[in-house]
Amino acid sequence: MSQQEQNQIAERERTNRLRILSVAFGAGIAVVGVLIILYAWQLPPFTSQIQSTENAYVRGQITFISPQVNGYITAVNVLDYQPVHQGDVLMTIDDRIYKQRVHQAQAQVAMKKAALDNNIQQRRSAQAVIERNQAALENAKAQAVKSGLDLKRVENLTSDGSLSVRERDASRASNSQTVAEVQQAKATLDVSRQDLQTVIVNRASLEADVASAQASLELAQIDLDNTRIIAPRDGQLGQISVRQGAYVTAGTRLTSLVPQQMWVVANMKETQMARIRAGLSVSFTVDALDGESFQGEVEYISPAAGSEFSAISPDNATGNFVKIAQRIPVRIKITSDNAAHLRPGMSVEVNIDTSAEAENREAK
């Protein structure tokens, strides 16, 4: 074999080796790329028991303080961001009109009670009239009995000629009058009983008037009490939006109150929810506190995705469809003792440890 042929064979072998190395290198790059993607998406074999998200924030029970009555602010007793306790007077509204309304309502109550007391006196008087008319009826009955006996005697004397017919007729007229007087006394007694019933029925109306006047007094007193804006609970105030002398109406936002109770809401992707359950331990860091770490636990899981609570719900039954991973809000209870520096609205990074749930599934 000539030298030229040997060189050609060596060149072909070198080319084949280079091709093999190139194919192997390309395959290695492809494998590394696939592994990077699997790791980035936490897919097997790189599945992690820690479910993380940056879409999480500290939440709190922010209460907006507003008045229930209208008027001018006469005093502002607090400053922006000042801590307060339940019952502290934050501001006061001019109460002169409301005091006069209370006095007016008190006068109405007194007047209605006087009318009710007068009704009691009317009832006693009506009962006395009934007793008087009852006695008058008994007297009329007695007179009627006496007149009947007299008439009987006159009839006997007239029949034997001892008395004249004229005297008999006079006796009959007198007897008829006494009988009529009995009927009149009965009617008078019935009228007096009806008068008593009217007084009794009218008492219910007067009692209702007293109750209505007392309710008006209570409402006036509530309005007067509402001229003092008090803190509904312990917490820290936000910015004061009014000053002394400003006119406010019912519902005007005066300030806000932030209690110490706080929690974290983490909006997890639906693909992360398979092993998240209430009671799992959580760790999170806060951007505003140089990444300081806090501990917590899963307290509640939202009953629906966040999109279901939006004002305009998405309609996926129309047009082209692009699948987008939905977010499920998860409420996290803060268990750390160092949560005094947390503020509602702070951004946090949440890590939920699902290893306990995975162990429970394997045990089952």
Side-chain angles (χ1 to χ4, degrees):
M1 181 181 295
S2 64
Q3 184 64 34
Q4 183 178 1
E5 292 176 347
Q6 291 179 355
N7 291 337
Q8 290 177 350
I9 293 172
E11 183 66 23
R12 285 195 295 271
E13 291 177 353
R14 188 182 305 110
T15 301
N16 291 334
R17 286 196 297 270
L18 289 175
R19 289 178 178 174
I20 294 171
L21 290 174
S22 176
V23 171
F25 182 74
I29 291 177
V31 171
V32 170
V34 170
L35 292 176
I36 290 175
I37 293 174
L38 293 176
Y39 177 78
W41 288 88
Q42 295 294 301
L43 297 174
F46 301 103
T47 302
S48 174
Q49 302 298 336
I50 304 298
Q51 299 296 336
S52 304
T53 185
E54 295 181 348
N55 190 348
Y57 306 90
V58 179
R59 291 286 184 262
Q61 296 179 342
I62 300 177
T63 302
F64 296 106
I65 307 298
S66 301
Q68 290 183 285
V69 296
N70 307 332
Y72 289 95
I73 298 293
T74 57
V76 179
N77 304 324
V78 290
L79 302 174
D80 295 343
Y81 317 128
Q82 176 181 333
V84 294
H85 299 286
Q86 182 178 1
D88 289 350
V89 179
L90 309 180
M91 306 171 192
T92 56
I93 296 175
D94 186 5
D95 61 358
R96 291 175 297 174
I97 294 177
Y98 301 100
K99 283 183 178 179
Q100 293 305 317
R101 289 178 180 174
V102 169
H103 295 159
Q104 185 180 18
Q106 289 173 341
Q108 288 291 325
V109 170
M111 183 176 67
K112 298 300 182 182
K113 286 185 176 179
L116 183 61
D117 294 338
N118 183 54
N119 176 267
I120 296 175
Q121 185 62 34
Q122 289 176 349
R123 182 171 181 174
R124 292 173 180 171
S125 177
Q127 288 173 340
V129 170
I130 290 175
E131 293 176 358
R132 184 191 65 187
N133 292 336
Q134 183 70 44
L137 176 60
E138 296 299 328
N139 179 64
K141 287 180 177 180
Q143 293 299 326
V145 170
K146 177 179 178 298
S147 177
L149 294 175
D150 290 343
L151 177 61
K152 187 176 180 181
R153 285 193 295 270
V154 169
E155 291 283 356
N156 293 331
L157 293 173
T158 302
S159 62
D160 61 8
S162 300
L163 292 176
S164 65
V165 175
R166 181 176 177 276
E167 290 175 333
R168 184 197 64 184
D169 293 340
S171 181
R172 287 179 178 178
S174 177
N175 181 69
S176 297
Q177 183 178 0
T178 56
V179 171
E181 288 175 354
V182 171
Q183 297 300 322
Q184 183 180 3
K186 287 183 179 180
T188 303
L189 179 60
D190 290 339
V191 170
S192 60
R193 287 173 175 171
Q194 293 300 322
D195 290 341
L196 175 61
Q197 190 63 30
T198 300
V199 172
I200 294 173
V201 172
N202 190 42
R203 178 176 177 79
S205 176
L206 295 175
E207 289 176 344
D209 289 342
V210 171
S212 177
Q214 288 177 337
S216 298
L217 174 59
E218 292 176 2
L219 289 174
Q221 186 63 52
I222 289 173
D223 286 341
L224 178 61
D225 294 340
N226 285 334
T227 59
R228 301 168 66 252
I229 311 300
I230 63 174
R233 60 188 301 183
D234 295 347
Q236 187 173 2
L237 295 177
Q239 186 174 358
I240 308 299
S241 59
V242 294
R243 295 295 180 263
Q244 183 175 351
Y247 184 82
V248 296
T249 59
T252 301
R253 185 175 296 183
L254 305 178
T255 184
S256 56
L257 179 66
V258 182
Q260 294 298 321
Q261 182 181 4
M262 286 174 286
W263 62 93
V264 172
V265 172
N267 299 304
M268 310 297 295
K269 292 181 180 179
E270 57 183 326
T271 54
Q272 297 177 295
M273 296 299 298
R275 295 181 179 177
I276 295 180
R277 298 290 184 273
L280 294 179
S281 61
V282 179
S283 64
F284 62 92
T285 57
V286 183
D287 298 347
L289 302 178
D290 294 331
E292 184 177 355
S293 180
F294 297 84
Q295 301 300 315
E297 65 178 29
V298 175
E299 189 172 17
Y300 300 110
I301 299 175
S302 172
S307 60
E308 295 298 316
F309 297 107
S310 62
I312 301 177
S313 300
D315 186 0
N316 296 329
T318 61
N320 296 328
F321 173 72
V322 178
K323 185 176 182 179
I324 300 175
Q326 299 297 308
R327 296 278 180 171
I328 307 295
V330 176
R331 177 176 170 133
I332 298 170
K333 178 182 178 181
I334 301 173
T335 58
S336 297
D337 296 331
N338 58 338
H341 298 294
L342 293 178
R343 296 292 184 272
M346 286 184 173
S347 299
V348 300
E349 296 183 13
V350 170
N351 299 305
I352 302 177
D353 187 0
T354 62
S355 58
E357 179 64 20
E359 293 176 358
N360 292 337
R361 288 191 176 188
E362 291 178 357
K364 293 179 180 179

